[in-house]
Amino acid sequence: GLIKVVGKTTIKITKVMEKDIKEGDKVKKITGDYLFEGVVVAAFKKLDGKERFVVEDDRRALHIFSATNLEKQ
């Protein structure tokens, strides 16, 4: 998580703000060593509750990403 210092108190922030990504959003991958841009065509939760997004690019290729990998365009 993130660490925030307030005065002399250190607070550990465990939840990062949701990005509010949904089907139909144009997104780009912002992590890793390759580029990928496209449209979210599906959103779902894994059995453990973690969100995943299926993104389709202009070649019609599909990739599955977590919200931490994506940024809305």
Side-chain angles (χ1 to χ4, degrees):
L2 301 171
I3 302 295
K4 182 176 183 180
V5 177
V6 179
K8 293 183 178 182
T9 305
T10 302
I11 302 169
K12 184 176 181 183
I13 302 169
T14 56
K15 183 164 176 110
V16 177
M17 284 180 35
E18 298 294 329
K19 294 185 179 183
D20 193 35
I21 296 170
K22 59 190 177 302
E23 290 180 28
D25 286 347
K26 291 183 180 181
V27 294
K28 68 178 177 179
K29 185 172 108 25
I30 57 170
T31 59
D33 57 357
Y34 67 94
L35 300 175
F36 197 87
E37 296 182 5
V39 176
V40 176
V41 295
F44 62 93
K45 288 188 178 181
K46 295 176 28 172
L47 293 177
D48 64 7
K50 294 178 182 175
E51 285 186 310
R52 294 294 183 260
F53 302 92
V54 181
V55 180
E56 183 175 334
D57 70 0
D58 58 358
R59 301 168 299 166
R60 306 187 65 75
L62 300 172
H63 282 253
I64 299 173
F65 297 105
S66 67
T68 57
N69 297 120
L70 300 174
E71 180 178 272
K72 288 169 102 174
Q73 290 187 308

